[in-house]
Amino acid sequence: MSGGSARSLGKGSPPPGPVPEGVIRVYSMRFCPFAERTRLVLNAKGIRHEVININLKNKPEWFFEKNPLGLVPVLENSQGQLIYESTITCEYLDEAYPGKKLLPDDPYEKARQKMIFELSSQIPTLLICFLRGQNKDDYSGQKEQLHKEFSKLEEVLTNKKTTFFGGKNISMVDYLIWPWFERLEAVELIDCVDHTPKLKLWMEAMRKDPTVSALITDAKTLRGFTDLYLQNSPDACDYGL
Amino acid sequence: MRRRLESMAEDATRALGKGSLPPGPVPEGLIRIYSMRFCPYSHRTRLILQAKGIRHEVININLKNKPEWYYTKHPFGQIPVLENSKHQLIYESVIACEYLDDAYPGRKLYPFDPYERARQKMLLELFYKVPHLTKECLVAFRCGRECTDLKLALRQEFCNLEEILGYQNTVFFGGDCISMIDYLFWPWFERLDVYGIADCVSHTPALRLWIAAMKQDPAVCALLIDKNIFLGFLNLYFQNNPDAFDYGLSC
């Protein structure tokens, strides 16, 4: 186990030491969908890593030296190099580490994955609104928006005639998009994929992937975390420990 | 450095509009870019084509009167779009630039080292407010509206970039030589003067030195747009004149 279940560090905690050789560190939070992308890639590529969870409701002062924006995920290697923004961390890991390549070698196929990812770019913003319960005034309107965004992805799968967004096998773009779909059940929006059968099948195929299933969080736990997080509780990030 | 005359520029062709015939397939050995002579996003991609010496053809699109066939190239009719001889389409300016760097030989514009590559991508994130802010300043300026707050916000963004250059102590954003990130930033800095916001770099000397160094780069020079022609375009554009995009082309 890579320490992904460790208690989060908050204000007043001593800064962690340097990263040992042969290991890469990810500053994370157990329920953060952005950090989940990076953890999926670390696991999919079998990269030796350590996880330091950050209490996002009570951030340690030293964390801003890791990322001036104070956000997770951040990677730190044994050379003290820091990489942040989830998609940048994922691409860095794929380039820097050997083994299974998650992004295609072919320049066009690689560009295609990035274009597909762009198609999904509104989904996090929309889902975060639902997670925060910020759309009481326009619930059906926002749900309609979400349907539209899902239809774009459905079209890709329909045209490609493959299970995954990158082809027959799971690849980078699937891992990048997954954390948002993992959370649909927790916000009672799982019916949003009823209109998009291929997307629904994709979700089922994703759940069967060993990396995805190793990191999956059930809806009940996600709801428990979300409730505390919305109340700004400093205990939210350690929910369930 | 002798600047190429506007009429000799590779993209000095009339913009295609509604009713125009769709272009044929792209010949082997060439890549096509759907573009617009004054668009900063297309400019990024044209810089990479130029810097890497990639044989290409330009089809300009009339953005106020888009050809029906253009939506088969891009679902929302945006530019730039690359099309190769295998009918593959690539869009989003940054994706197009990376594709060209990956697909074509010669000088690599992104570094080889994964960390340095990541660093350039992190720098690009720092830039994300600049296009929107410069555009808002332009619109406000052209409509005779106040833009003090916008200019202040833009100066703040430029301060962040100044800090990077100061910390790195290099001329360019990627090091001592020009690289991808510099080309990705450049189009908006080239436009500061014609947009009427050149004073926004008055507090950022390292950024001014970078601008001067960029103007020495052969690819930047080759694509530099004449100020009067740009102003002529802007005048027509803000009058909603569909001929704006062809301003400056000899008949």
Side-chain angles (χ1 to χ4, degrees):
Chain A
M1 208 21 198
S2 48
S5 52
R7 298 202 86 79
S8 62
L9 301 183
K11 263 203 192 73
S13 60
V19 180
E21 278 238 33
V23 162
I24 191 162
R25 176 184 296 158
V26 61
Y27 295 95
S28 181
M29 193 276 282
R30 288 157 58 234
F31 306 104
C32 172
F34 298 98
E36 188 177 339
R37 287 171 166 165
T38 315
R39 291 189 300 117
L40 283 166
V41 171
L42 284 163
N43 280 283
K45 290 183 69 85
I47 296 169
R48 282 191 62 215
H49 63 284
E50 60 180 37
V51 180
I52 290 188
N53 289 314
I54 300 296
N55 189 335
L56 297 180
K57 290 291 184 186
N58 188 28
K59 294 175 190 175
E61 304 85 342
W62 53 258
F63 185 59
F64 292 87
E65 283 161 45
K66 306 299 182 185
N67 180 356
L69 303 167
L71 301 172
V72 295
V74 181
L75 288 173
E76 185 175 357
N77 61 23
S78 51
Q79 295 160 272
Q81 292 171 333
L82 295 154
I83 301 111
Y84 47 81
E85 293 301 319
S86 61
T87 53
I88 300 177
T89 62
C90 292
E91 197 160 356
Y92 166 80
L93 291 172
D94 202 41
E95 288 167 5
Y97 287 83
K100 178 182 178 197
K101 282 292 168 214
L102 296 176
L103 274 170
D105 278 323
D106 177 69
Y108 172 69
E109 291 304 327
K110 183 177 160 197
R112 189 90 189 95
Q113 289 226 358
K114 294 186 177 199
M115 288 187 273
I116 294 169
F117 178 70
E118 280 303 309
L119 273 183
S120 77
S121 63
Q122 296 305 309
I123 295 172
T125 319
L126 280 167
L127 279 176
I128 286 171
C129 270
F130 281 102
L131 278 162
R132 290 191 181 154
Q134 274 168 351
N135 49 8
K136 300 267 154 52
D137 300 332
D138 184 33
Y139 188 81
S140 53
Q142 300 254 309
K143 210 169 166 183
E144 189 51 48
Q145 259 297 103
L146 202 59
H147 276 130
K148 274 206 187 95
E149 301 302 317
F150 286 4
S151 298
K152 290 182 192 168
L153 295 179
E154 181 77 2
E155 207 181 312
V156 172
L157 290 174
T158 308
N159 292 336
K160 273 188 92 81
K161 300 185 175 51
T162 55
T163 310
F164 297 102
F165 284 101
K168 287 193 323 251
N169 300 315
I170 199 170
S171 63
M172 183 66 86
V173 62
D174 302 289
Y175 288 126
L176 295 179
I177 298 178
W178 171 249
W180 306 102
F181 286 86
E182 184 182 342
R183 283 152 178 75
L184 284 181
E185 208 186 318
V187 283
E188 280 153 42
L189 288 174
I190 197 69
D191 60 325
C192 278
V193 290
D194 285 345
H195 293 90
T196 49
K198 294 196 168 52
L199 206 47
K200 207 168 175 179
L201 283 170
W202 170 79
M203 286 181 72
E204 283 164 30
M206 289 299 282
R207 282 180 199 280
K208 295 201 186 105
D209 176 74
T211 303
V212 167
S213 56
L215 297 186
I216 219 160
T217 310
D218 64 280
K220 187 154 174 268
T221 308
L222 279 169
R223 263 181 241 134
F225 155 74
T226 307
D227 285 339
L228 280 182
Y229 194 78
L230 291 175
Q231 292 164 38
N232 283 317
S233 165
D235 297 326
C237 298
D238 293 331
Y239 181 79
L241 285 181
Chain B
M1 167 91 45
R2 183 163 57 92
R3 228 193 301 137
R4 298 170 72 174
L5 296 174
E6 180 63 34
S7 58
M8 280 161 60
E10 237 146 359
D11 70 333
T13 54
R14 306 201 90 78
L16 300 184
K18 265 202 190 71
S20 61
L21 292 170
V26 180
E28 276 235 37
L30 265 194
I31 191 161
R32 174 184 295 160
I33 177 174
Y34 296 97
S35 180
M36 191 278 278
R37 289 157 60 227
F38 307 96
C39 169
Y41 295 96
S42 296
H43 192 171
R44 275 174 165 165
T45 313
R46 291 189 300 115
L47 280 166
I48 305 313
L49 288 163
Q50 188 75 28
K52 288 183 70 85
I54 296 168
R55 284 190 63 216
H56 63 283
E57 62 179 31
V58 182
I59 290 189
N60 288 315
I61 300 298
N62 189 324
L63 299 180
K64 294 267 189 195
N65 187 28
K66 293 176 191 176
E68 304 84 342
W69 55 258
Y70 190 61
Y71 292 89
T72 64
K73 307 297 181 187
H74 189 290
F76 309 121
Q78 289 168 352
I79 51 163
V81 176
L82 290 173
E83 184 174 359
N84 62 23
S85 53
K86 289 185 249 182
H87 313 286
Q88 292 171 334
L89 296 157
I90 300 107
Y91 48 79
E92 292 302 318
S93 62
V94 177
I95 298 176
C97 292
E98 186 165 357
Y99 167 81
L100 291 173
D101 204 41
D102 288 339
Y104 286 84
R107 176 185 170 207
K108 284 297 170 203
L109 297 174
Y110 267 129
F112 283 111
D113 177 68
Y115 171 69
E116 292 303 327
R117 286 175 78 95
R119 184 109 180 84
Q120 294 220 355
K121 292 174 184 194
M122 287 188 273
L123 279 177
L124 187 61
E125 291 289 319
L126 263 190
F127 184 76
Y128 89 93
K129 288 184 186 157
V130 173
H132 172 75
L133 281 171
T134 54
K135 188 178 179 181
E136 290 296 297
C137 284
L138 170 68
V139 171
F141 178 61
R142 284 268 153 180
C143 301
R145 282 203 310 265
E146 253 261 29
C147 55
T148 327
D149 287 343
L150 287 169
K151 284 176 82 165
L152 247 154
L154 190 59
R155 276 165 184 264
Q156 182 53 54
E157 296 306 310
F158 289 171
C159 279
N160 297 340
L161 295 178
E162 178 81 2
E163 219 178 291
I164 298 288
L165 288 174
Y167 171 78
Q168 285 179 175
N169 200 22
T170 57
V171 174
F172 297 102
F173 282 100
D176 292 318
C177 298
I178 198 171
S179 63
M180 182 65 84
I181 189 67
D182 302 289
Y183 288 126
L184 295 179
F185 285 174
W186 176 250
W188 285 271
F189 287 93
E190 184 174 323
R191 283 157 178 72
L192 288 181
D193 197 13
V194 293
Y195 283 19
I197 45 176
D199 59 330
C200 286
V201 287
S202 62
H203 287 85
T204 50
L207 208 46
R208 287 203 306 278
L209 279 171
W210 174 78
I211 291 171
M214 289 299 282
K215 286 185 175 164
Q216 302 286 311
D217 177 74
V220 167
C221 277
L223 302 188
L224 259 170
I225 306 167
D226 177 272
K227 182 175 178 173
N228 289 319
I229 292 180
F230 211 129
L231 286 170
F233 157 72
L234 285 173
N235 287 337
L236 289 181
Y237 184 82
F238 279 92
Q239 291 163 28
N240 268 315
N241 188 324
D243 294 331
F245 306 105
D246 294 336
Y247 186 82
L249 291 178
S250 40
C251 293

